[in-house]
Amino acid sequence: MTVATEAPPPSGSGTATRPRAAGRRTGPSGGWREAAAHQLFLVPVAAVFIVLFVIPLGQTFYWSLTDFTGYSDDFAFVGLENYRTILSDPSMTAGLTFTLLFAVGTTVLTTVIAIPLAVALNQRLYGRNLARSLFFFPAIPSMAVLGLVWGYILSPLGSGVLNSVLDSTLGLGPVPWLSDSTLAKFSVIMVGVWGGAGWHAVLYLAYLQSIPHEYYEVATIDGASGRQRFFHITLPLLMPAMVISQFLLMTNGLKVFDLPYTLTNGGPGFATQTITQSIIVSGVGQGQYGIASALAVLFTIAVAALAFSQLLISRRIERRVL
Amino acid sequence: MTRHSRHLAAALSLATALAVSACGGGGAADGDTLTLLAWDSEEVMTPVLEAFEEAHPDIDVEATYSPPVAEYIQALQTRVLSGTAPDVFLIAAENKTNLIEGGHVLDLAGEDFLAGVPEFNQQTYGADGAVYGLSLSSWGAGILYNEDLLAEVGAEEPPDTWDEFLALCAELKDAGITPYLEPLDAMPGVLSAFLGAYDASTGHTMDDEIFSGASTFEETWTPLLEQYNRLYDEDLVTRDTVGLGPDQVEAEFANGRVAMMIAGPWNVNSVREAAPDLEVRMVPIPGVDGGEPFLAGAAAPGLAINPESGNIEAAKAFLSFFASPEGIEIYQAQLGAITVTDDFEPPLDPALDPVVEDVRAGNVYLPQIAWQRAEDVLNVEAVAQIQRMVQGEITPREVAQALDRKLASS
């Protein structure tokens, strides 16, 4: 009997983990010390999160209930007045509409372009590295620079770069790329897609290269067509990359400022105005920090809701596919 | 915690405290160091600052630079709010109300250096008899025209009346010449000039009446907006102007593709650089309904003194030097600005001759500077609504009504 009780536990994953778990719950002070030591590693991150996010967000909410101008500490509490002003202002609702359109438009179009582009750049072809570099290049300059350059390319005059090309090649009259509300929205989204598709294609490329080649070989032997291989092997195995890419696209799209600001300055009218532009113009340009803060609070809530929903849906699809 | 780590923590705390206190002390400097937040570039300001330090060897100027307009406003605002405002900074249309109401600018009324500055420039940055900014130049925007292109339809210069101007545009268009372009990313110069002429005809009471509630934008602006919109309603000018920036309009003009453009003095300099052989000249914007030709324009931002400064005398010495013929000559040479002090005649491009006198006399108008509150709020609204009007989405009356609503909610 004694021999049996003193015998070492049999090897195996189930029994091997049990004593450690039991030790953590019932052991002497070493257990909680170890747990506390682990938690200590989170302190710097938590401190940064609190200082750079929680406190500013709390302050923003506080200012959103005031008529703070940004120039004087002499301010008054106005309750939810700033929120009422925002929700009744047509320019703010126009800004919200275009921001959502830009975020969704760039997310969908970039994804639709970036995945086939990544597949193409993954093929064995002459000058592949040069092609990858060329497609990645638009992601290097800032969006503000892209906006200024594209402003000349998309000039609505006949002397604009794109209009000159259209005229000389197809005989088309000048197209009002930036002076027509609908075309201006389309132009801003297209430039955003042009600037981001290459970067996201490289992201997909990294995931593509991790897909075992044997899958394709087996599928080919089984007689699967190229289309079937793409939809039944490539696309499902790219799902983790799509989650990351679309999350980045959506969040960056929602907080976009530099591209529309430099390309159209929010015009014509309020057609391409974004929420971030409204926040900056109201807060800094117009000394309405209360209104800008209220807008920032509403926008933070909207972005958080969208981002969480997107993550939730993506993970559910990911689980179903993989 | 070991003794060693306690010492390390203490040293880090001390270092942090010193760093924070050093950052916090970057505002109004004591002693003979004058802090300045400049609006113009370092290239423009350096000769002026060197001359000042040479004339006042006991004062060192510590200048920081922030480009106009939004970045400057933000940089100054942050420093004002944190109690680290420089001794001298710029008061502009975009921040004057907040700076004056917040008590962040010193009253300069009665100072000797204001003696040669026109009343118009003093009043632009003043309130209730006080003067808060030393504005030493003004600008005016008129019609810059290509003499050769106008000669093709037998015209020597743009006419004085709006009807005749529109007729000239029609003639140019019929001759295959683009008659006129303007960027619509800001308040249209033509409309500003119409409003200025009307304001002058009422004895400068137009904005008082609107902001006191005795009148409205709808009542005052609608007829002038309708006149301005004839450019587009009568298909004389492309509606694509809503998608153009000032550089694009200037490039079209410099390349000889357009006969007339709205322009300020700065455009003349850059057109000369881009197209030295182009024969150009600037005239005031034609008058509407029998009114006089007028110019869009304003007094340039003024130098202001921080009332919390420990260096007020040095700051006044700086302003005094800036306003002196010696100081202003150096500054004017850098920018080619139309300076307004009575003891210095600025050397300017001859193309500006027809407008210089009016600009120096303050016969210019810009709504966002003349407005008495919510200047930038109204300006942003006006520009956006005017763009919509030019696109044909709304009527001139609806533009004015939108401004009334914005004023009521601001």
Side-chain angles (χ1 to χ4, degrees):
Chain A
M1 294 295 122
T2 315
V3 174
T5 50
E6 285 178 356
S11 62
S13 59
T15 49
T17 54
R18 222 174 290 138
R20 266 189 266 147
R24 196 174 294 150
R25 281 197 303 271
T26 59
S29 56
W32 68 262
R33 272 190 186 162
E34 194 182 337
H38 290 165
Q39 299 301 319
L40 268 178
F41 282 102
L42 293 176
V43 169
V45 178
V48 168
F49 181 74
I50 290 168
V51 170
L52 296 184
F53 184 76
V54 177
I55 294 175
L57 190 63
Q59 281 181 321
T60 305
F61 178 68
Y62 173 76
W63 294 125
S64 75
L65 303 174
T66 70
D67 61 359
F68 181 48
T69 63
Y71 279 93
S72 166
D73 288 336
D74 185 21
F75 58 86
F77 278 91
V78 295
L80 297 175
E81 180 63 24
N82 290 328
Y83 291 90
R84 193 194 62 77
T85 304
I86 289 167
L87 295 173
S88 61
D89 186 339
S91 69
M92 300 285 182
T93 45
L96 185 63
T97 309
F98 179 68
T99 304
L100 288 173
L101 182 68
F102 181 86
V104 173
T106 49
T107 301
V108 171
L109 290 173
T110 302
T111 305
V112 166
I113 291 170
I115 293 176
L117 182 61
V119 172
L121 292 175
N122 199 32
Q123 306 297 316
R124 290 180 190 280
L125 48 92
Y126 181 73
R128 184 171 68 172
N129 287 338
L130 177 68
R132 286 177 182 175
S133 307
L134 284 176
F135 281 106
F136 186 73
F137 172 75
I140 296 171
S142 75
M143 277 291 177
V145 174
L146 290 186
L148 292 171
V149 172
W150 276 92
Y152 281 93
I153 296 173
L154 296 173
S155 169
L157 296 176
S159 56
V161 178
L162 186 56
N163 278 337
S164 300
V165 172
L166 288 175
D167 183 38
S168 59
T169 56
L170 303 171
L172 289 176
V175 180
W177 298 110
L178 302 177
S179 55
D180 174 83
S181 295
T182 309
L183 278 174
K185 288 176 186 172
F186 171 78
S187 300
V188 174
I189 291 171
M190 288 316 296
V191 175
V193 171
W194 181 84
W199 191 92
H200 287 269
V202 170
L203 180 75
Y204 285 116
L205 191 59
Y207 275 80
L208 271 180
Q209 290 174 347
S210 69
I211 300 175
H213 195 65
E214 290 79 12
Y215 291 3
Y216 293 102
E217 286 173 356
V218 171
T220 309
I221 291 166
D222 287 347
S225 66
R227 185 177 162 278
Q228 285 171 320
R229 288 199 298 272
F230 177 75
F231 281 104
H232 295 286
I233 299 174
T234 309
L235 208 54
L237 291 175
L238 277 183
M239 196 49 78
M242 286 175 73
V243 172
I244 295 170
S245 169
Q246 293 193 357
F247 183 77
L248 290 174
L249 282 165
M250 186 61 90
T251 48
N252 286 335
L254 287 170
K255 63 185 185 188
V256 66
F257 168 72
D258 39 10
L259 177 62
Y261 187 73
T262 50
L263 188 57
T264 59
N265 196 19
F270 297 110
T272 58
Q273 180 150 316
T274 62
I275 289 293
T276 316
Q277 185 180 345
S278 298
I279 291 171
I280 293 171
V281 168
S282 304
V284 179
Q286 302 175 346
Q288 295 181 318
Y289 268 74
I291 287 180
S293 299
L295 197 53
V297 169
L298 289 178
F299 193 52
T300 304
I301 294 167
V303 171
L306 270 170
F308 282 125
S309 310
Q310 191 196 16
L311 273 181
L312 216 65
I313 294 166
S314 302
R315 282 189 181 155
R316 196 162 288 178
I317 294 172
E318 198 179 2
R319 255 185 248 127
R320 190 173 298 172
V321 171
L322 292 177
Chain B
M1 195 180 263
T2 63
R3 181 181 293 182
H4 177 73
S5 59
R6 273 199 298 270
H7 287 164
L8 184 65
L12 281 172
S13 305
L14 182 64
T16 309
L18 285 172
V20 169
S21 62
C23 291
D30 293 328
D32 295 321
T33 301
L34 186 72
T35 55
L36 164 73
L37 180 60
W39 168 291
D40 294 304
S41 68
E42 190 169 359
E43 190 186 352
V44 169
M45 290 302 293
T46 299
V48 186
L49 300 182
E50 283 175 354
F52 172 73
E53 286 177 340
E54 201 177 313
H56 296 269
D58 53 326
I59 304 173
D60 285 329
V61 181
E62 189 181 295
T64 47
Y65 299 87
S66 188
V69 176
E71 276 183 66
Y72 188 92
I73 301 295
Q74 184 179 13
L76 179 63
Q77 185 182 28
T78 307
R79 292 179 67 172
V80 165
L81 194 65
S82 61
T84 59
D87 299 318
V88 178
F89 52 84
L90 271 294
I91 181 170
E94 291 79 3
N95 63 6
K96 70 172 183 175
T97 305
N98 285 321
L99 287 174
I100 293 170
E101 288 180 356
H104 302 301
V105 277
L106 189 72
D107 180 9
L108 307 174
E111 294 292 340
D112 290 343
F113 51 73
L114 282 175
V117 177
E119 197 67 17
F120 170 75
N121 292 65
Q122 294 190 40
Q123 282 175 356
T124 299
Y125 300 105
D128 303 325
V131 180
Y132 298 104
L134 172 65
S135 169
L136 295 169
S137 62
S138 294
W139 61 272
I143 303 287
L144 188 68
Y145 63 96
N146 180 327
E147 292 184 76
D148 292 337
L149 289 182
L150 255 62
E152 287 188 28
V153 293
E156 282 184 10
E157 63 174 27
D160 282 348
T161 71
W162 187 238
D163 285 334
E164 288 171 333
F165 180 84
L166 296 176
L168 173 63
C169 286
E171 263 186 84
L172 285 162
K173 195 176 177 194
D174 290 344
I177 299 167
T178 302
Y180 171 79
L181 279 182
E182 59 181 359
L184 280 182
D185 62 340
M187 183 71 74
V190 169
L191 178 65
S192 299
F194 287 174
L195 289 162
Y198 175 73
D199 180 51
S201 74
T202 63
H204 301 289
T205 59
M206 178 177 72
D207 292 299
D208 288 339
E209 288 185 9
I210 292 174
F211 282 80
S212 68
S215 182
T216 60
F217 281 108
E218 184 179 2
E219 193 179 325
T220 313
W221 278 46
T222 303
L224 300 175
L225 279 163
E226 283 168 349
Q227 286 293 334
Y228 164 67
N229 202 34
R230 287 175 64 194
L231 278 174
Y232 300 97
D233 269 352
E234 295 175 17
D235 199 24
L236 299 170
V237 178
T238 170
R239 294 180 192 269
D240 290 336
T241 49
V242 298
L244 296 180
D247 293 345
Q248 288 165 303
V249 171
E250 190 184 287
E252 290 294 301
F253 184 83
N255 286 318
R257 289 196 287 261
V258 58
M260 299 179 282
M261 66 175 280
I262 189 81
W266 53 87
N267 293 114
V268 176
N269 298 337
S270 44
V271 165
R272 291 269 189 235
E273 282 175 21
D277 297 331
L278 212 61
E279 296 291 333
V280 299
R281 205 164 165 81
M282 189 190 287
V283 292
I285 291 159
V288 68
D289 282 344
E292 291 295 310
F294 212 78
L295 290 160
L303 287 162
I305 297 177
N306 174 8
E308 305 296 325
S309 165
N311 262 337
I312 286 184
E313 287 313 311
K316 285 182 178 176
F318 181 72
L319 266 59
S320 190
F321 176 81
F322 222 108
S324 69
E326 182 196 354
I328 207 156
E329 183 179 6
I330 300 168
Y331 182 69
Q332 200 277 337
Q334 299 298 314
L335 285 177
I338 303 178
T339 57
V340 293
T341 47
D342 60 6
D343 52 3
F344 177 74
E345 197 74 31
L348 295 164
D349 191 302
L352 295 170
D353 286 350
V355 303
V356 169
E357 197 179 324
D358 277 333
V359 173
R360 297 194 76 198
N363 294 330
V364 292
Y365 179 85
L366 202 66
Q368 60 266 42
I369 288 196
W371 286 333
Q372 295 163 8
R373 63 185 172 86
E375 298 95 333
D376 199 55
V377 178
L378 289 169
N379 185 40
V380 169
E381 182 75 9
V383 172
Q385 299 295 354
I386 288 168
Q387 287 182 352
R388 295 182 66 203
M389 177 188 78
V390 170
Q391 281 188 303
E393 288 180 8
I394 57 172
T395 64
R397 186 170 296 279
E398 286 170 318
V399 173
Q401 287 169 340
L403 286 174
D404 282 322
R405 282 195 300 274
K406 203 69 180 176
L407 180 61
S409 66
S410 298

